[in-house]
Amino acid sequence: LLTFGAAYGLVMSSRAFQKVISGAVSYELHRTLSWVALGAVLLHVGSFFFDDFLNITFIEALIPGALTRSFPSALGYDMGLAVSFGIAALYFMIILLLTSEFRARLSQQVWRRTHYVSFLAYIAFIIHGFLAGSDSGETWVRLMYIGSLVLILSLVAIRIVARTLVPKWQAWRAAPDSQVSPAVSSSDS
């Protein structure tokens, strides 16, 4: 859910896929998947209050670094560190969703800068899942993480190209010959 929510945000912001999927559809998918993902994350966190093995407290679920168990994750990583990444990612996600809901009351610059937190949130969720996941040693889970990373990194690259390089190339092509290359003189033609 988180990967697809992020993916539709990148699809929408890159504008490279407008002929395939409209901005309005991308926006609604991005928004809906993000809220559903938040619900799933909250269920995920809530389930650990009933887990006899982890036996997490409310404070440990809300404050990064508060979980100080002496047991490692399935891959041998410090569980406190892994959970801290998840908590930080959850806070990033809440900030992103709330600022998006109140976007009309924020300046474009504030909203955009805040939305760059989504990259941190995504990275924190991936690290959390890999470090803390009980199935992280399984090939199919690693392939899922790799697929998620490839998809998101590809869409980030497309967004960068579509929003920076393509407009410059289009402006260059549309410019009259006299403005295209000032270094070329009429005697070179």
Side-chain angles (χ1 to χ4, degrees), residues 24-45:
V25 171
S26 293
Y27 172 76
E28 284 305 320
L29 284 168
H30 172 60
R31 184 174 180 265
T32 301
L33 287 169
S34 296
W35 278 105
V36 171
L38 176 63
V41 169
L42 292 175
L43 282 173
H44 168 70
V45 172

Side-chain angles (χ1 to χ4, degrees), residues 97-155:
L97 286 166
L98 290 178
T99 56
S100 290
E101 290 301 314
F102 296 104
R103 183 177 181 179
R105 297 181 184 188
L106 302 172
S107 71
Q108 178 69 14
Q109 183 180 22
V110 168
W111 178 84
R112 183 163 311 283
R113 285 185 179 169
T114 303
H115 229 69
Y116 283 123
V117 169
S118 62
F119 296 106
L120 295 175
Y122 176 76
I123 291 167
F125 273 122
I126 290 292
I127 292 170
H128 166 73
F130 183 76
L131 295 181
S134 58
D135 292 333
S136 291
E138 300 292 329
T139 302
W140 69 270
V141 174
R142 289 182 181 198
L143 290 173
M144 183 180 65
Y145 289 136
I146 290 168
S148 173
L149 283 166
V150 167
L151 174 63
I152 296 302
L153 290 175
S154 297
L155 289 171

Side-chain angles (χ1 to χ4, degrees), residues 58-124:
F58 193 69
I59 296 297
E60 291 170 331
L62 292 179
I63 300 174
L67 182 66
T68 57
R69 302 291 193 287
S70 61
F71 60 86
S73 69
L75 294 179
Y77 297 104
D78 174 39
M79 187 60 81
L81 177 65
V83 170
S84 293
F85 274 108
I87 295 168
L90 172 62
Y91 290 150
F92 290 149
M93 187 177 192
I94 290 169
I95 289 167
L96 290 164
L97 286 166
L98 290 178
T99 56
S100 290
E101 290 301 314
F102 296 104
R103 183 177 181 179
R105 297 181 184 188
L106 302 172
S107 71
Q108 178 69 14
Q109 183 180 22
V110 168
W111 178 84
R112 183 163 311 283
R113 285 185 179 169
T114 303
H115 229 69
Y116 283 123
V117 169
S118 62
F119 296 106
L120 295 175
Y122 176 76
I123 291 167

